[in-house]
């Protein structure tokens, strides 16, 4: 495991010949290095949105689950939010319904919504709960409907998109005893409106609104990109840290575009509501969650208020 931390081993004496350090010593050194981060985040809530490559690859999935369990073991309080696009498409395909997208957003009619709920709440959610339990923590699976955690409203584009919703209200009452008892809530991004109609809600949005309602220390969105790039065609131009004003400037200059805009806006909204920092990190990197939380190096872009 120590190799995955190597980017963050800031205080190791580089003059020491590597051969002098046994793997065990290196591991212990790096553990000692993470102490200030563990102290900083202990007892704090961190909301993690899980999706993309980290969800599709079994190795990356195992890495994220292990990171989550480790963070929970050292007294950090993770809340895990997920979507499940590819799996929804597979099931729609099985029953002969063709997925339909409009500018990257899923058009959701009544029969698609039924499948979305079944797949996200019944299958993906319980699969993740079972993986976390197997890895040694205690997870509890919920959807936005449970305990009125989320109340949905139709999207402004409901006429075109069908049952695609937005978050009208968050009531985190049901999460507090779970988090206080060291359970990891795993939340599917489906919710109902006041009339009981179900809606599919973007998981980034759900994570951002939950982070705000919980007064989270940190919001982390796992994505399929390195983070925010100064030049979108140059993976080496990663912006490690930026504030809201800087982000708005980059949007104005067209440097942040396409699918990154809603992610960034979701971060800005949660920061404006009191979340301390929001990070867009590379879920394709093993242990990116630990890199982001326990090292200076990080694993993507951190946005501050």
């Amino acid at each position: 495991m120590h190799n995955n931390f190597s980017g963050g081993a800031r205080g190791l004496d580089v003059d020491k010949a590597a051969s002098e350090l046994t793997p065990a010593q290196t591991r212990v050194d790096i553990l000692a290095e993470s102490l200030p981060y563990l102290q900083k985040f202990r007892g704090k809530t961190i909301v993690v949105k899980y999706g993309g490559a980290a969800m599709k690859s079994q190795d990356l999935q195992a890495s994220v689950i292990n990171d989550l369990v480790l963070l929970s073991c050292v007294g950090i309080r993770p809340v895990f939010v997920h979507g499940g696009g590819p799996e929804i498409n597979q099931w729609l395909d099985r029953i002969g319904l063709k997925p339909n997208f409009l500018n990257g957003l899923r058009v959701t009619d009544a029969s698609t919504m039924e499948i979305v709920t079944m797949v996200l709440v019944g299958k993906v959610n319980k699969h993740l709960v079972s993986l976390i339990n197997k890895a040694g923590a205690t997870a509890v699976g919920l959807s936005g409907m449970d305990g009125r955690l989320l109340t949905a409203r139709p999207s402004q584009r409901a006429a075109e998109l069908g049952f695609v919703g937005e978050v009208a209200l968050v009531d985190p009452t049901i999460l507090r005893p779970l988090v206080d008892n060291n359970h990891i809530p795993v939340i599917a991004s489906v919710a109902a409106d006041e009339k009981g109609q179900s809606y599919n809600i973007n998981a980034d949005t759900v994570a951002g609104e939950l982070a705000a309602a919980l007064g989270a220390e940190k919001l982390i969105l796992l994505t399929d990109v390195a983070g925010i790039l100064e030049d979108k065609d140059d993976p080496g131009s990663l912006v490690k840290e930026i504030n809201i004003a800087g982000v708005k400037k980059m949007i104005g200059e067209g440097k942040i575009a396409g699918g990154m805009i809603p992610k960034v806006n979701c971060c800005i909204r949660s920061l404006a509501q009191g979340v301390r920092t929001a990070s867009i990190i590379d879920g394709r990197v093993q242990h990116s969650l630990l890199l982001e939380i326990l090292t200076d190096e990080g694993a993507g872009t951190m946005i501050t208020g």
Side-chain angles (χ1 to χ4, degrees):
M1 177 165 145
H2 58 285
N3 295 332
N4 301 316
F5 268 89
S6 54
R10 296 159 311 281
L12 292 182
D13 182 353
V14 283
D15 298 331
K16 269 188 197 172
S19 58
E20 283 179 31
L21 285 173
T22 67
Q25 283 170 317
T26 306
R27 198 175 296 137
V28 169
D29 256 342
I30 291 165
L31 255 178
E33 282 292 325
S34 59
L35 178 64
Y37 298 93
L38 295 174
Q39 287 169 323
K40 177 181 172 187
F41 289 113
R42 186 173 171 77
K44 299 286 199 306
T45 300
I46 289 176
V47 176
V48 178
K49 184 268 174 166
Y50 174 60
M55 205 166 192
K56 294 193 272 268
S57 142
Q58 281 200 311
D59 283 355
L60 287 170
Q61 188 168 66
S63 153
V64 171
I65 298 293
N66 281 331
D67 288 1
L68 210 61
V69 171
L70 189 151
L71 294 171
S72 173
C73 281
V74 297
I76 295 167
R77 301 165 155 208
V79 173
F80 206 42
V81 177
H82 68 88
E87 191 120 14
I88 292 167
N89 293 345
Q90 272 175 6
W91 281 91
L92 289 172
D93 191 44
R94 277 190 189 186
I95 60 165
L97 280 173
K98 198 167 163 37
N100 186 2
F101 288 89
L102 191 72
N103 300 330
L105 294 170
R106 183 186 299 278
V107 178
T108 309
D109 58 14
S111 47
T112 303
M113 189 60 227
E114 204 173 353
I115 299 298
V116 166
T117 305
M118 286 162 64
V119 173
L120 289 189
V121 181
K123 188 166 189 295
V124 177
N125 187 271
K126 294 307 170 228
H127 175 61
L128 292 172
V129 166
S130 135
L131 287 176
I132 292 168
N133 289 346
K134 196 174 98 190
T138 306
V140 177
L142 300 166
S143 73
M145 296 168 203
D146 292 295
R148 290 201 186 129
L149 176 57
L150 303 171
T151 303
R153 63 167 172 248
S155 146
Q156 292 164 338
R157 299 169 61 197
E160 311 160 87
L161 293 172
F163 297 113
V164 171
E166 292 168 355
V167 177
L169 206 66
V170 182
D171 179 356
T173 310
I174 192 167
L175 294 184
R176 297 200 195 281
L178 294 175
V179 167
D180 288 346
N181 284 306
N182 207 25
H183 296 335
I184 300 176
V186 180
I187 298 157
S189 58
V190 173
D193 65 12
E194 283 161 342
K195 298 190 188 90
Q197 170 59 53
S198 301
Y199 288 87
N200 184 15
I201 305 181
N202 177 288
D204 291 327
T205 308
V206 168
E209 295 303 316
L210 274 175
L214 288 164
E217 181 73 14
K218 204 166 181 45
L219 166 68
I220 298 178
L221 306 180
L222 283 168
T223 62
D224 284 351
V225 291
I228 296 174
L229 303 176
E230 184 63 43
D231 168 3
K232 66 179 187 316
D233 300 320
D234 174 11
S237 66
L238 177 68
V239 177
K240 292 250 171 150
E241 193 170 339
I242 189 168
N243 62 15
I244 291 177
V247 166
K248 288 183 170 166
K249 182 166 176 279
M250 285 184 79
I251 293 175
E253 292 168 350
K255 289 179 178 173
I256 294 173
M260 189 53 98
I261 289 182
K263 287 187 188 299
V264 162
N265 283 336
C266 153
C267 292
I268 291 173
R269 271 183 62 87
S270 66
L271 291 167
Q273 295 176 80
V275 174
R276 199 64 70 80
T277 63
S279 296
I280 295 172
I281 72 170
D282 195 343
R284 301 165 304 177
V285 172
Q286 286 271 354
H287 298 297
S288 53
L289 262 184
L290 295 185
L291 279 167
E292 180 56 32
I293 294 170
L294 301 181
T295 74
D296 267 347
E297 195 73 10
T301 302
M302 182 166 83
I303 307 173
T304 57

